[in-house]
Amino acid sequence: MSPSRLYDPTQAGSAQLQILNLNLNDEKRQRNIPVDVYWSNSANTEKPVIVFSHGYKSVRTDLRYLAEHLASHGYVVAALEHPGSNFTANKDGDSLKSQEFLARPQDVSFVLDELAKINQTPNNQLQSKLATNKVMVVGYSFGGTTALALAGGEFQIASLKHSCEQNSSKLTPVQEFICVAQELPENSYQLRDKRIKQIVALTSATSLLFGETGLSKVQVPTLMLTGSADNITPILSEQITSFATTPSPKWLAAAVGATHLSVLDPNLISEQQRTKNLSISSREVVGEKAADIHKYVKAITLAMAAQLTPEASKYSVFLTPDYAHYAQIASTPLFPFRLMTEIPPAAMGLIPRN
């Protein structure tokens, strides 16, 4: 069926949104993890729990518009805050610790453990509403890296250390960031959580960390999104390379002209600009200028979530090149959208080898 004949997946659902604020304490790891749970009375275990992992120096509300959209369609969204790499932890210029690359996936697993307990607690408002064994993770930037690790991607520290040492004079800023992980013991880290059945990685940071084979270990359906004008996690080194080595089923969605911050909640951008917590480059396409990008992110993320429900076939059309083209012409031509399931052979020669 043509996308133009379908209802609009960018529109809010009919469920009445509620937000529950949790403050979870992992005593074993001495990490306090705040979690905002977006839900509605229509939520049930037929639909997956969706966990959000934020970017570096960011906060758990950085995709609030997306959490609200998914919750309005009956999903439960748990947006957690990683205490070692959020804005509070790094506001004074403190450097990122290598252990944070391991701690972030562990944060998600801990939150799922706690949500499973809540699901079994009598007289709890979320009792019997949480499908904690059927989970989708949505990660933005460093959160995308976290999602890929939870999906089975293996950190290759020995090859990372070699690449960081050999290419020290020509590393990109994001590669310098990732090279912090070389301080970890030279193991192949497997952080997969089997409760996670698929992931969405938005403008993720991947180069060097997973080596040449680490992402071939991903074991769940994966949707990646990139922006062609992203100069923080550049499309070639950070998304195309990782997508090429990730097993199918997989989707790569690209917003031509979008930048790294384009997917962020417009309210978060305005709040942080006012308080000068975030330095916004004049090149960044954010706020209302990125409205079309937000709409497309809502549509494809909702469609991915639905693949874990009985409505999978109904939503599958929104994960096609036809819908990407329709989404473009149905709004404005400012940000042409592309979607593919494989990298064209002609593009393979453009992929850098480290």
Side-chain angles (χ1 to χ4, degrees), residues 126-237:
L126 293 177
Q127 182 186 8
S128 302
K129 293 182 180 294
L130 305 174
T132 54
N133 286 317
K134 182 173 62 176
V135 178
M136 181 172 86
V137 175
V138 177
Y140 164 69
S141 194
F142 198 11
T145 312
T146 303
L148 287 163
L150 287 160
E154 293 185 358
F155 297 164
Q156 304 291 327
I157 303 303
S159 66
L160 169 67
K161 186 174 182 178
H162 176 77
S163 296
C164 294
E165 291 174 349
Q166 294 296 312
N167 302 300
S168 59
S169 63
K170 52 183 179 180
L171 294 172
T172 66
V174 71
Q175 289 172 336
E176 290 179 351
F177 168 82
I178 289 174
C179 281
V180 170
Q182 70 180 307
E183 298 173 9
L184 294 169
E186 292 185 11
N187 301 321
S188 293
Y189 291 93
Q190 172 52 264
L191 299 163
R192 185 191 175 207
D193 189 318
K194 293 183 179 180
R195 293 171 291 189
I196 292 162
K197 305 304 182 185
Q198 60 188 29
I199 64 168
V200 175
L202 306 171
T203 62
S204 53
T206 63
S207 67
L208 308 183
L209 183 61
F210 295 99
E212 294 186 359
T213 62
L215 287 174
S216 68
K217 309 294 185 181
V218 169
Q219 299 183 43
V220 302
T222 298
L223 170 68
M224 296 182 185
L225 179 134
T226 184
S228 68
D230 186 340
N231 65 348
I232 297 177
T233 55
I235 181 173
L236 190 58
S237 65

Side-chain angles (χ1 to χ4, degrees), residues 14-327:
S14 58
Q16 189 68 38
L17 173 69
Q18 300 186 57
I19 302 177
L20 176 65
N21 304 117
L22 301 176
N23 194 17
L24 304 178
N25 183 32
D26 187 342
E27 295 182 0
K28 183 178 180 180
R29 296 186 303 136
Q30 296 185 328
R31 283 172 76 89
N32 187 64
I33 304 174
V35 183
D36 294 338
V37 181
Y38 300 77
W39 66 289
S40 70
N41 287 329
S42 66
N44 57 68
T45 55
E46 195 172 72
K47 293 185 175 182
V49 167
I50 303 174
V51 178
F52 279 16
S53 175
H54 63 74
Y56 178 55
K57 291 188 177 181
S58 193
V59 290
R60 62 189 181 277
T61 54
D62 63 6
L63 294 173
R64 181 168 52 197
Y65 74 95
L66 183 57
E68 292 174 348
H69 181 68
L70 295 168
S72 76
H73 286 272
Y75 293 89
V76 176
V77 179
L80 65 94
E81 194 144 325
H82 300 285
S85 51
N86 61 356
F87 174 74
T88 303
N90 302 101
K91 66 179 180 179
D92 296 322
D94 298 336
S95 59
L96 179 72
K97 294 179 173 60
S98 62
Q99 191 65 27
E100 193 64 16
F101 285 82
L102 308 181
R104 280 174 143 257
Q106 293 165 350
D107 289 345
V108 173
S109 293
F110 170 75
V111 168
L112 290 178
D113 291 342
E114 294 302 297
L115 291 178
K117 295 175 186 177
I118 291 171
N119 192 55
Q120 299 295 325
T121 303
N123 302 318
N124 185 290
Q125 53 192 330
L126 293 177
Q127 182 186 8
S128 302
K129 293 182 180 294
L130 305 174
T132 54
N133 286 317
K134 182 173 62 176
V135 178
M136 181 172 86
V137 175
V138 177
Y140 164 69
S141 194
F142 198 11
T145 312
T146 303
L148 287 163
L150 287 160
E154 293 185 358
F155 297 164
Q156 304 291 327
I157 303 303
S159 66
L160 169 67
K161 186 174 182 178
H162 176 77
S163 296
C164 294
E165 291 174 349
Q166 294 296 312
N167 302 300
S168 59
S169 63
K170 52 183 179 180
L171 294 172
T172 66
V174 71
Q175 289 172 336
E176 290 179 351
F177 168 82
I178 289 174
C179 281
V180 170
Q182 70 180 307
E183 298 173 9
L184 294 169
E186 292 185 11
N187 301 321
S188 293
Y189 291 93
Q190 172 52 264
L191 299 163
R192 185 191 175 207
D193 189 318
K194 293 183 179 180
R195 293 171 291 189
I196 292 162
K197 305 304 182 185
Q198 60 188 29
I199 64 168
V200 175
L202 306 171
T203 62
S204 53
T206 63
S207 67
L208 308 183
L209 183 61
F210 295 99
E212 294 186 359
T213 62
L215 287 174
S216 68
K217 309 294 185 181
V218 169
Q219 299 183 43
V220 302
T222 298
L223 170 68
M224 296 182 185
L225 179 134
T226 184
S228 68
D230 186 340
N231 65 348
I232 297 177
T233 55
I235 181 173
L236 190 58
S237 65
E238 303 303 320
Q239 276 83 52
I240 290 183
T241 302
S242 38
F243 184 77
T245 58
T246 302
S248 296
K250 60 183 178 180
W251 299 262
L252 176 63
V256 179
T259 58
H260 191 69
L261 302 183
S262 293
V263 301
L264 290 185
D265 192 290
N267 294 317
L268 177 75
I269 293 291
S270 60
E271 288 169 6
Q272 293 196 342
Q273 277 183 304
R274 283 197 299 269
T275 58
K276 298 183 180 179
N277 289 347
L278 182 64
S279 176
I280 306 294
S281 165
S282 60
R283 294 185 56 195
E284 287 289 341
V285 178
V286 297
E288 290 306 312
K289 294 180 180 178
D292 291 343
I293 299 167
H294 300 155
K295 288 173 63 176
Y296 187 58
V297 169
K298 288 193 288 188
I300 59 176
T301 306
L302 178 63
M304 276 294 286
Q307 298 313 296
L308 295 174
T309 76
E311 296 182 300
S313 60
K314 174 182 175 181
Y315 281 86
S316 59
V317 68
F318 303 118
L319 296 171
T320 64
D322 283 347
Y323 179 71
H325 177 69
Y326 173 74

